């Protein structure tokens, strides 16, 4: 018996009593079956068995058996779903409008987030006929099982006096379809006396909640028959409650319109609140509670570098996979290409195999490996054209051309049939508006783009054309992971291209030479590359300060200021990514500040008339921080002038002007601080005052270098000696 009190016993007794009172064939059958106390006791036991059977069959969650050791109770893991009115596809929208809308959002997700989201269970409680739509792995089956579970509870969220019966429609494989007999079998298995009569009485009295799971999983040869039978069955027994589920593409792709009486709703992708709730429910063990596993994992997903991974978490199936991976490793793999590749395989083949689905005939010759190559070609062509949404005719044409050019492609395949099958079976391509498609996740499009580049050996072309385009950043990281033993060749290509960005700019070469010379004789506390990057960040902080201070003079100066900020960020990132100790000692502190930004903003604020800004006290606090950073820099720079710098900086920090002082006082103070640091660095303002063209060239050079280091971390294997030789050349003339 369940740990909660069941409502089914009272409902079953009422059904029997009312049918006996009503008479007729059903009543007579019931009267014969319940002539003695023993039969009523059998009914009581059957009720208990029914609840236990429902829990055992439908309320144990176990996906991906290779990763998941044991099933989890539905009650423990269930995350409340949100529903959307199913009206998005009806709109006729231009591709350009979708592209513009997506970019305006500034988010990775293609998913629809407009309109009101409604909690799922209240909607199910209110609607007598409900069609639940959604993509693969979005949680349709789980939602139906939860509805049934709540109906079984005496005080559950489904406030109907009804008995839930869940039918998996994929089992309707025979030419003859008899839904009523399926219901009878459910009650008969649990020992209900006169199960056929009990089923008939339940239907007559409107006491059944019929859950029809997976209309899209019905074998194609039987689909029309099943649809007609269900519609007739609902019409004949319309006092009962019906909830069905189907994949969106299969529902819309069928000929004609069906299930007219049903209210169509779409399961929304998980938002941040749902993702966090799922994670906390997943990592709920006593050990996880003690170690704060859920908190650590959620914080990890919030980081900028994991936004592509978090995008996959919007689909419950893939979120389950991500939780299983983290549960095993207590970290997210650095090689995201492996993680995304496994996620793609789950959608391409494993999920349908685990559900024991019969594929469409189209799939008899269209194996997952061929499908992956096809999708990769489409992803690359689209991404190269900066195209995230594409017309149905266009994608059908691309599929047709691919099949025509593929030696082992089955002759009976055509573009339209393959697109339809991909959309229905895996949901990797999704219709976003009438005849307009995109990939289900930008992450998958990026992965497939990288897969195609590596398979087709297009690395040199992509490096030359797209290295500094931040839209391609994730693709480069995935290329590195997919390159295997050839990843070092990719890094060499990135290095060679990065050198072209600074060629022809004498002052940039001089700055790099200063970076090398000024750190060459310092101690061994940090790695050489980290020291060069830290020195560069410190120097560039002045470039940013100068540009920021005069940015209000012209649009050109503002552009320089913006580019300088990007340069500064890249230099700091190179230092952080090349030596972990430098993160703790210089670039991260309890105030979430760092030395380069401290110097830059303090000088910029002073020069830009700080006394008129209400945050003067904050600037004074920042200047106090500057007085404490010189000790850290002693381990980076060779210059002996750093020995006196802490005391000199402290003296200046004590002389910060009052917020009521004149702008001239702030200007003089900022100039003195600037002169002190430039003297210690053995630089002058002319060395660090760049034109817009020079600043942008430096930005591209440092961005490419920083990406190179990140690609090294994303690779599966890099030979030690080869990396040592390449690392020694970074940020060097």
């Amino acid at each position: 018996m369940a740990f909660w009190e069941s409502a089914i016993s009272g409902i079953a007794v009422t059904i029997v009593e009312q049918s006996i009172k009503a008479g007729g064939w059903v009543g007579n059958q019931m009267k014969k079956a319940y002539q003695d106390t023993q039969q009523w006791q059998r009914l009581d036991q059957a009720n208990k068995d029914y609840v236990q059977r429902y829990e055992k069959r439908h309320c144990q969650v176990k996906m991906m058996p290779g990763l998941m050791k044991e099933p989890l109770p539905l009650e423990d893991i269930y995350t409340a779903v949100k529903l959307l009115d199913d009206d998005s596809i009806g709109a006729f929208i231009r591709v350009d409008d979708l592209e513009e809308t997506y970019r305006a959002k500034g988010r990775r997700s293609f998913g629809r987030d407009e309109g009101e989201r409604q909690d799922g269970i209240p909607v199910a409680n209110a609607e007598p006929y409900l069609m639940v739509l959604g993509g693969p792995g979005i949680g349709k089956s789980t939602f139906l099982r939860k509805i049934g579970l709540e109906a079984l509870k005496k005080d559950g969220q489904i406030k109907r006096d009804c008995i839930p019966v869940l039918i998996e429609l994929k089992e309707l494989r025979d030419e003859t379809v008899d839904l009523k007999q399926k219901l009878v079998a459910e009650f008969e298995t649990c020992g209900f006396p006169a199960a056929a009569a009990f089923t008939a009485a339940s239907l007559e009295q409107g006491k059944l909640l019929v859950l029809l799971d997976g209309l899209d999983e019905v074998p194609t040869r039987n689909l029309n028959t099943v649809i007609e039978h269900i519609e007739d069955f609902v019409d004949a027994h319309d006092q009962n409650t019906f909830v069905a589920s189907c994949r969106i593409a299969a529902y819309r792709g069928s000929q004609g319109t069906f299930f007219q009486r049903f209210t169509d709703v779409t399961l929304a992708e998980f938002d941040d609140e749902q993702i966090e709730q799922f994670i906390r429910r997943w990592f709920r063990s006593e050990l996880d509670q003690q170690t704060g596993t859920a908190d650590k994992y959620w914080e990890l997903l919030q980081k900028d570098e994991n936004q592509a991974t978090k995008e996959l978490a919007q689909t419950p199936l893939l979120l389950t996979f991500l939780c299983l991976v983290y549960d095993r490793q207590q970290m997210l793999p650095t090689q995201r290409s492996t993680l995304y590749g496994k996620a793609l395989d789950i959608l391409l083949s494993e999920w349908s195999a685990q559900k024991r689905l019969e594929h469409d005939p189209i799939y008899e010759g269209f194996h997952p490996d061929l499908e992956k190559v096809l999708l990769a070609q489409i992803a690359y062509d689209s991404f190269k054209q900066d195209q995230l949404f594409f017309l149905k005719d266009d994608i059908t044409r691309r599929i047709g051309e691919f099949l025509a050019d593929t030696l082992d492609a089955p002759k009976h395949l055509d573009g339209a049939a393959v697109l339809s099958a991909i959309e229905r079976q895996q949901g990797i391509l999704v219709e976003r508006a009438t005849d307009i498609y995109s990939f289900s996740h930008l992450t998958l499009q990026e992965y497939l783009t990288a897969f195609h580049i590596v398979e087709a050996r297009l690395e040199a072309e992509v490096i030359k054309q797209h290295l500094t385009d931040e839209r391609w950043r994730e693709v480069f990281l995935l290329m590195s992971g997919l390159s295997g033993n050839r990843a070092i060749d990719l890094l060499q290509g990135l290095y060679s291209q990065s050198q072209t960005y600074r060629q022809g700019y004498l002052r940039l070469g001089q700055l790099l030479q200063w970076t090398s010379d000024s750190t060459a004789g310092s101690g061994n506390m940090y790695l050489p590359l980290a020291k060069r990057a830290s020195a560069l960040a410190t120097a560039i902080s002045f470039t940013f300060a100068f540009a920021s201070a005069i940015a209000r003079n012209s649009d050109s100066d503002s552009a320089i200021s913006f580019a300088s900020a990007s340069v500064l960020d890249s230099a700091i990132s190179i230092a952080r990514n090349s030596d972990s100790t430098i993160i703790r000692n210089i670039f991260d502190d309890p105030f979430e500040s760092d030395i380069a930004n401290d110097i830059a903003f303090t000088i910029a604020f002073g020069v830009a008339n700080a006394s008129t800004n209400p945050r003067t006290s904050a600037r004074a606090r920042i200047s106090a921080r500057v007085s404490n950073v010189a000790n850290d820099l002693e381990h980076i720079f060779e210059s002996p002038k750093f020995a006196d710098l802490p005391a000199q900086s402290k003296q200046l920090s004590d002389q910060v002007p009052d917020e009521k002082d004149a702008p001239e006082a702030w200007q003089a103070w900022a100039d003195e601080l600037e002169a002190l640091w430039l003297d210690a660095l053995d630089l002058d303002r002319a060395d660090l005052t760049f034109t817009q063209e020079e600043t942008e060239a430096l930005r591209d050079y440092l961005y490419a270098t920083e990406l190179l280091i990140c690609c090294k971390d994303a690779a599966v294997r890099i030979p030690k000696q080869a990396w040592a030789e390449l690392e020694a050349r970074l940020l060097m003339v």
Side-chain angles (χ1 to χ4, degrees):
M1 185 63 180
F3 62 88
W4 34 262
E5 187 176 357
S6 171
I8 185 174
S9 179
I11 297 172
V13 169
T14 301
I15 292 171
V16 173
E17 291 177 341
Q18 289 189 2
S19 64
I20 293 174
K21 185 182 299 184
W25 179 85
V26 172
N28 290 333
Q29 294 294 313
M30 287 291 194
K31 190 173 182 179
K32 292 177 184 178
Y34 291 91
Q35 288 180 342
D36 54 49
T37 303
Q38 186 178 5
Q39 293 299 85
W40 287 97
Q41 291 174 344
R42 277 187 58 197
L43 177 62
D44 183 59
Q45 184 59 48
N47 291 328
K48 295 176 182 178
D49 291 345
Y50 189 87
V51 173
Q52 292 174 353
R53 177 176 165 83
Y54 188 94
E55 282 196 297
K56 183 177 180 179
R57 291 180 63 197
H58 306 311
C59 299
Q60 300 296 315
V61 179
K62 186 174 183 179
M63 296 179 283
M64 292 164 281
L67 288 173
M68 205 165 177
K69 298 177 183 178
E70 58 187 24
L72 297 173
L74 176 64
E75 285 282 71
D76 291 346
I77 200 66
Y78 179 78
T79 299
V81 303
K82 305 289 181 63
L83 301 178
L84 299 166
D85 289 335
D86 187 55
D87 59 1
S88 58
I89 291 298
F92 288 88
I93 306 173
R94 297 188 310 126
V95 170
D96 292 345
D97 293 336
L98 276 177
E99 295 276 359
E100 182 179 347
T101 300
Y102 167 78
R103 285 169 171 76
K105 290 180 182 177
R107 298 169 55 236
R108 289 184 56 86
S109 175
F110 293 141
R112 172 185 166 214
D113 57 4
E114 299 87 359
E116 181 182 357
R117 289 178 171 230
Q118 303 179 67
D119 290 336
I121 293 294
V123 173
N125 192 47
E127 296 290 343
Y129 316 111
L130 191 67
M131 172 60 75
V132 179
L133 302 173
I138 198 69
K140 301 180 297 296
S141 296
T142 302
F143 181 45
L144 261 63
R145 283 155 171 73
K146 175 64 172 176
I147 292 171
L149 185 60
E150 290 300 319
L152 282 175
K153 298 177 182 178
K154 187 172 184 179
D155 297 316
Q157 298 179 67
I158 299 298
K159 307 299 182 182
R160 298 176 184 271
D161 289 332
C162 57
I163 301 174
V165 187
L166 192 143
I167 305 296
E168 293 182 324
L169 295 178
K170 66 183 178 183
E171 298 175 356
L172 303 181
R173 298 185 177 92
D174 300 332
E175 292 183 7
T176 57
V177 179
D178 191 341
L179 198 56
K180 186 174 183 179
Q181 188 53 44
K182 281 285 184 182
L183 300 175
V184 171
E186 289 293 312
F187 292 118
E188 198 168 46
T189 301
C190 294
F192 279 80
F198 181 82
T199 302
S202 301
L203 288 169
E204 288 177 6
Q205 297 173 32
K207 294 296 185 182
L208 292 189
L209 166 57
V210 184
L211 304 166
L212 304 170
D213 187 29
L215 182 63
D216 56 281
E217 297 173 7
V218 175
T220 304
R221 63 182 181 275
N222 276 11
L223 183 58
N224 289 335
T225 302
V226 170
I227 291 172
E228 291 174 5
H229 180 78
I230 291 175
E231 288 184 317
D232 292 341
F233 191 85
V234 171
D235 288 340
H237 306 288
D238 58 3
Q239 295 182 59
N240 297 272
T241 303
F242 294 87
V243 182
S245 72
C246 187
R247 293 185 181 181
I248 295 176
Y251 192 67
R252 293 182 177 128
S254 299
Q255 296 297 320
T257 304
F258 50 89
F259 288 14
Q260 296 275 7
R261 303 180 69 165
F262 281 59
T263 299
D264 297 343
V265 293
T266 302
L267 278 179
E269 292 183 329
F270 273 5
D271 55 23
D272 281 3
E273 180 184 355
Q274 290 169 294
I275 294 172
E276 182 179 5
Q277 183 184 97
F278 185 96
I279 290 172
R280 295 195 181 283
R281 286 179 173 272
W282 185 277
F283 297 107
R284 73 200 183 288
S285 70
E286 185 176 345
L287 179 59
D288 287 327
Q289 295 288 334
Q290 293 173 355
T291 57
T293 306
D295 290 332
K296 294 176 183 176
Y297 188 30
W298 176 241
E299 290 172 6
L300 189 63
L301 282 179
Q302 297 297 95
K303 293 186 176 181
D304 290 343
E305 62 266 28
N306 292 323
Q307 288 307 298
T309 303
K310 183 182 172 186
E311 181 200 351
L312 295 181
Q314 294 168 344
T315 301
L317 171 64
L318 298 182
L319 177 54
T320 300
F321 164 65
L322 294 174
C323 286
L324 285 167
V325 171
Y326 188 79
D327 202 8
R328 281 190 166 193
Q329 304 178 9
Q330 294 298 295
M331 61 178 290
L332 286 174
T334 305
Q335 290 75 31
R336 293 200 291 271
S337 58
T338 303
L339 187 71
Y340 301 163
K342 178 63 176 176
L344 182 64
D345 289 341
I346 289 170
L347 295 177
L348 281 175
S349 56
E350 291 187 21
W351 183 229
S352 59
Q354 289 166 24
K355 298 189 78 174
R356 301 294 188 265
L357 300 183
E358 289 189 22
H359 286 304
D360 291 336
I362 195 76
Y363 267 81
E364 293 175 1
F366 193 58
H367 52 82
D369 289 340
L370 182 61
E371 182 177 359
K372 185 176 182 179
V373 173
L374 164 63
L375 290 170
Q377 177 76 61
I378 294 171
Y380 171 75
D381 290 342
S382 302
F383 205 84
K384 186 176 181 181
Q385 297 169 21
D386 195 11
Q387 186 180 34
L388 302 178
F389 300 90
F390 22 84
L391 292 171
K392 182 177 183 178
D393 289 345
D394 181 35
I395 195 170
T396 300
R397 175 185 55 78
R398 294 188 199 184
I399 294 173
E401 291 173 353
F402 174 86
L403 294 172
D405 191 47
T406 300
L407 184 62
D408 61 346
K411 301 301 181 184
H412 68 277
L413 298 183
D414 64 77
V418 170
L419 173 60
S420 177
I422 292 173
E423 187 184 8
R424 289 198 310 272
Q425 293 288 350
Q426 294 94 12
I428 295 173
L429 292 173
V430 178
E431 190 176 18
R432 302 295 184 183
T434 304
D435 291 338
I436 299 178
Y437 287 76
S438 78
F439 282 88
S440 58
H441 297 87
L442 177 57
T443 299
L444 294 182
Q445 184 176 6
E446 290 168 335
Y447 172 84
L448 287 163
T449 298
F451 178 83
H452 178 80
I453 292 168
V454 172
E455 289 293 305
R457 301 295 180 95
L458 299 174
E459 291 92 340
E461 175 186 330
V462 172
I463 289 172
K464 183 176 181 179
Q465 295 179 0
H466 303 294
L467 178 53
T468 58
D469 185 347
E470 292 192 35
R471 191 174 65 87
W472 285 75
R473 181 180 181 87
E474 188 70 20
V475 174
F476 277 106
L477 295 173
L478 294 169
M479 285 165 55
S480 182
L482 289 167
S483 294
N485 288 330
R486 295 193 294 112
I488 188 62
D489 298 331
L490 175 68
L491 301 190
Q492 294 283 5
L494 296 178
Y495 172 78
S496 297
Q497 182 64 26
S498 72
Q499 301 308 299
T500 66
Y501 300 133
R502 65 174 182 82
Q503 289 177 356
Y505 298 100
L506 178 62
R507 280 199 291 184
L508 300 189
Q510 292 172 339
L511 178 61
L512 291 178
Q513 187 64 55
W514 168 86
T515 299
S516 175
D517 294 343
S518 65
T519 60
S522 58
N524 298 321
M525 185 173 180
Y526 305 121
L527 296 177
L529 176 58
K531 290 193 292 185
R532 293 196 295 272
S534 301
L536 196 57
T538 304
I540 291 170
S541 67
F542 288 94
T543 302
F544 175 70
F546 303 151
S548 299
I550 60 176
R552 58 185 68 181
N553 292 345
S554 69
D555 292 339
S556 175
D557 292 330
S558 296
I560 296 175
S561 176
F562 180 78
S564 297
S566 299
V567 168
L568 183 57
D569 288 342
S570 292
I572 294 172
S573 295
I574 293 171
R576 285 174 167 161
N577 292 333
S578 51
D579 192 338
S580 60
T581 57
I582 213 163
I583 298 175
R584 296 189 298 270
N585 296 336
I586 295 182
F587 289 103
D588 283 329
D589 76 352
F591 298 103
E592 299 183 357
S593 183
D594 60 64
I595 182 173
N597 281 320
D598 281 343
I599 298 170
F601 286 108
T602 302
I603 296 174
F605 287 154
V607 176
N609 193 5
S611 62
T612 63
N613 192 299
R615 293 187 296 167
T616 303
S617 59
R619 295 175 192 138
R621 178 166 53 83
I622 292 176
S623 79
R625 160 67 177 151
V626 172
S627 69
N628 297 323
V629 299
N631 285 325
D632 297 324
L633 292 180
E634 277 192 283
H635 301 287
I636 293 175
F637 292 105
E638 182 185 15
S639 173
K641 295 180 180 180
F642 273 88
D644 298 327
L645 194 57
Q648 294 170 323
S649 297
K650 177 63 171 65
Q651 184 178 1
L652 268 180
S653 70
D654 293 337
Q655 299 172 4
V656 177
D658 186 86
E659 56 187 53
K660 295 180 180 179
D661 286 346
E664 292 78 10
W666 279 93
Q667 178 70 61
W669 179 83
D671 289 345
E672 192 172 352
L673 177 63
E674 172 191 320
L676 176 65
W677 278 88
L678 289 179
D679 180 59
L681 295 171
D682 197 22
L683 291 168
D684 57 42
R685 182 180 272 239
D687 296 324
L688 300 172
T689 305
F690 300 134
T691 65
Q692 181 176 346
E693 187 177 3
E694 289 172 325
T695 304
E696 291 174 351
L698 182 58
R699 177 191 61 192
D700 290 345
Y701 169 73
L702 290 181
Y703 175 82
T705 303
E706 186 264 339
L707 180 57
L708 185 158
I709 296 171
C710 291
C711 285
K712 183 265 294 184
D713 294 334
V716 174
R717 179 180 181 271
I718 298 291
K720 291 183 178 179
Q721 184 59 36
W723 171 248
E725 293 173 358
L726 180 57
E727 184 182 37
R729 297 157 62 192
L730 299 180
L731 302 186
M732 298 283 284
V733 177

